[in-house]
Amino acid sequence: DSGVTQTPKHLITATGQRVTLRCSPRSGDLSVYWYQQSLDQGLQFLIQYYNGEERAKGNILERFSAQQFPDLHSELNLSSLELGDSALYFCASSPHGSGNTIYFGEGSWLTVV
Amino acid sequence: QQPVQSPQAVILREGEDAVINCSSSKALYSVHWYRQKHGEAPVFLMILLKGGEQKGHDKISASFNEKKQQSSLYLTASQLSYSGTYFCGTEDASYDKVIFGPGTSLSVIP
């Protein structure tokens, strides 16, 4: 158990809908990352937050947005869902600063039908 | 900016050794190595920092050549449990974010 908690674990929704994925980082970790992993693909970096502020952005679609709240939990919002958005979405957290281990949650499986 | 990994896939018999390489076009601050089993979360193996030495635990070790912006993961006397996809993640000096390579699929057979 990495200490990173993601909910829901599985989600099935229809095209055009909107979903929210939630992540609680490890106690004390200030950085939260979101990664997308499509079937048998690599880990695509979406976005990173540090202590409530956006720190870095990757290949995140405009239909997707995220935020980190004062209690450090984070949410990833996916809207106008398309079939191609079906993927495993990982949240990860790390302590402050560079060169720290990133701990992954178990992921949220999203299936768009 | 995504690092390059080689080989894409490798099949080993138990007890054989393997090397997985990771290279980047950017100056690196750190390299992270993870192993992922299908459908599970990536599991941290080790992190190598700029200026650091080769690291390892058990029969898995790694090196980081910061001048060449390359890292290698060494698996010796492979076990069935080593099967999975290995990802290297690179972090440059500009940001904290870690970008992962496409992965190397490693299968260990009896």
Side-chain angles (χ1 to χ4, degrees):
Chain A
D1 182 6
S2 67
V4 179
T5 304
Q6 290 188 245
T7 57
K9 288 194 178 355
H10 295 91
L11 189 58
I12 301 175
T13 190
T15 54
Q17 295 297 303
R18 172 189 168 95
V19 299
T20 297
L21 309 180
R22 195 178 190 279
C23 170
S24 293
R26 291 188 331 145
S27 177
D29 283 358
L30 299 178
S31 280
V32 169
Y33 306 76
W34 286 98
Y35 290 88
Q36 178 194 53
Q37 187 173 41
S38 300
L39 188 62
D40 293 329
Q41 297 295 310
L43 295 157
Q44 296 299 316
F45 171 71
L46 296 178
I47 198 164
Q48 180 204 357
Y49 281 84
Y50 171 71
N51 204 20
E53 295 195 2
E54 184 182 302
R55 186 70 177 256
K57 219 168 186 176
N59 301 321
I60 187 167
L61 300 172
E62 285 192 13
R63 299 184 286 108
F64 296 0
S65 64
Q67 54 184 326
Q68 186 180 27
F69 296 87
D71 66 353
L72 301 179
H73 91 270
S74 178
E75 293 181 355
L76 179 66
N77 300 296
L78 314 174
S79 61
S80 302
L81 285 168
E82 302 175 358
L83 295 178
D85 296 329
S86 296
L88 185 52
Y89 290 85
F90 285 109
C91 170
S93 74
S94 73
H96 165 66
S98 300
N100 285 289
T101 300
I102 297 175
Y103 296 91
F104 282 82
E106 295 297 311
S108 291
W109 282 96
L110 172 66
T111 302
V112 183
V113 297
Chain B
Q1 292 185 1
Q2 183 184 43
V4 176
Q5 285 186 237
S6 64
Q8 281 188 314
V10 59
I11 300 174
L12 300 173
R13 291 200 177 274
E14 268 187 297
E16 291 183 336
D17 302 339
V19 179
I20 300 172
N21 300 302
C22 175
S23 64
S24 173
S25 59
K26 303 189 75 173
L28 300 177
Y29 179 78
S30 68
V31 179
H32 305 229
W33 285 98
Y34 288 78
R35 177 172 60 215
Q36 184 182 33
K37 304 276 187 179
H38 184 70
E40 298 180 5
V43 173
F44 172 75
L45 294 176
M46 62 191 73
I47 182 173
L48 300 103
L49 304 179
K50 181 179 176 181
E53 68 285 6
Q54 181 164 339
K55 284 198 163 186
H57 60 83
D58 199 9
K59 295 183 176 65
I60 300 176
S61 62
S63 63
F64 177 24
N65 184 328
E66 53 201 73
K67 288 185 179 178
K68 292 186 176 180
Q69 294 140 215
Q70 294 175 347
S71 177
S72 294
L73 185 72
Y74 307 93
L75 301 103
T76 59
S78 58
Q79 306 166 17
L80 295 176
S81 62
Y82 286 4
S83 293
T85 301
Y86 289 77
F87 291 99
C88 75
T90 56
E91 179 181 25
D92 64 38
S94 304
Y95 308 99
D96 290 344
K97 70 180 185 223
V98 176
I99 304 297
F100 287 92
T104 295
S105 173
L106 186 141
S107 299
V108 181
I109 57 176

